Amino acid sequence: MRLAIDVHLDYGFPEPADVLLQVEAAAMHDQRIEAEALVIHSDHPIRAIPGEDGIGQRCWARGEQRLVADYHATVAIERPAINLASLSATPVRDLPAETIRYLLPSRYIESDRFEHFVRRQFAGLSGGALALGLADWVRGAIEYSGVAGGGGSALTTFAERRGVCRDYAHLLVALARAAEIPARCVAVYAPGVDPPDFHAVAELWLGGAWHLVDATGMANCGNIARVAIGLDATEIAFMTIFGSAFLYRQTVSVRQLSDTKEQPEEIVR
C-alpha cells in the first residue's frame, strides 16, 4: 500500500511568532518514506527536532507577516493485518517502562474519571476484545459533528456526545487507560477521511506491541501513515503557534496509489 501526501499551509501573523510544525510522515518499521520534501517559505532559519519518543520530526519556524509551508511525500505502508480480538493485555506491573506514561491521566484525557464506567459497562472483557468493545462504544455513542467538543477533553466529549476525530481519539484513549491498557494519541494521514484534513486516531498497547485504532471508523488502520504520537492532542498538533495567527489557506490531500509503479505527479524530490 502506497500513499501520496500533499499539504499546503498558508498563515498570516499580525506579530512575529515562533511556530512548531509537525507535518512530516514518520519513518517507522511499518511505514517507509519513499520520497518527501518539506519547503517552508521563510527568511529565518529552520530547525528540526525529534518528535515524542523519537517518533517523527518537528520543525521550528518563524512566522512574520506570512508563513507558507508545502509538504509532499510518497509513503509505503507495510503493516500486516492483526486480529485485535485475539491479543492479550499486559498486567500493569509487567509493562515496558516506555509505556507507563500512556497509562496515566493527562491534561485532556481524564482517564481516572472513567474507571467506574469501564468496569461497569465492559465487565467480563479483557485485552483486544475489550479494546474493540471500547472503540465500538465510542463510535456508536459520539456523533461526528464537524465541530470540536467545547472543552476538547475526553470528559467533555463524553458529556456532549459529539466531536471531531481528535475528540474520538481522546475518549477512546481515556477509556483504554481507565481499563489499564496503555494508549496514546496519534496524528496520521489517512485516505478517505471526510472532510480531507489532518486525522487523529488512538494507538493501544496489546500483545506486546502498539496497534492503531480509529474510533471514527473513517480510516482503515492498515493504510494510514503516522505523523506523531503523544499523550493527547497538545503533543500531536500539526502546528503550535507561540503567538497569534490567522488562516489564509490550508489543504491536505492523501491519495492511495493504484500500483507500485504509479508516482504522484506533484511530488517534489
Side-chain angles (χ1 to χ4, degrees), residues 27-28 34 36 69 75 89 91 102 119-120 131 135 152 154-155 164 167 170 186 193 216 231 240 250 255 263 269:
M28 300 183 68
E34 294 186 346
E36 70 173 350
V75 183
Y102 299 110
R119 285 196 298 268
R120 179 172 53 84
L155 205 56
V164 294
D167 303 305
H170 276 169
V186 188
V193 170
T216 71
L231 286 172
T240 303
Q250 175 176 305
R255 181 166 61 94
Q263 294 290 340
R269 295 185 185 276

Side-chain angles (χ1 to χ4, degrees), residues 29-30 80 82 84 87-90 95-96 98-99 181-184 203-213 226:
H29 69 282
D30 58 356
I82 299 292
L84 206 65
L87 300 178
S88 60
T90 303
L95 286 169
E98 64 272 17
T99 68
I181 299 173
R184 60 193 188 188
E203 198 164 31
L204 279 56
W205 181 267
L206 293 162
W210 289 107
H211 299 278
L212 295 161
V213 182
R226 296 182 198 83

Side-chain angles (χ1 to χ4, degrees), residues 2-7 21-38 49-51 54-59 70-77 79 186-190 198 223-229 236 238 252-254 267:
R2 296 164 71 243
L3 301 178
I5 301 165
D6 298 282
V7 177
L21 292 173
Q22 199 164 208
V23 298
E24 298 168 86
M28 300 183 68
H29 69 282
D30 58 356
Q31 54 186 59
R32 177 168 45 87
I33 312 301
E34 294 186 346
E36 70 173 350
L38 173 62
I49 60 173
I55 293 175
Q57 180 171 271
R58 291 167 167 152
C59 184
D70 290 288
Y71 177 66
H72 307 279
T74 304
V75 183
I77 308 300
R79 188 173 301 125
V186 188
V188 301
Y189 290 118
F198 298 101
N223 64 359
I224 64 180
R226 296 182 198 83
V227 178
I229 58 95
I236 65 170
F238 74 92
V252 177
S253 170
V254 184
I267 190 73

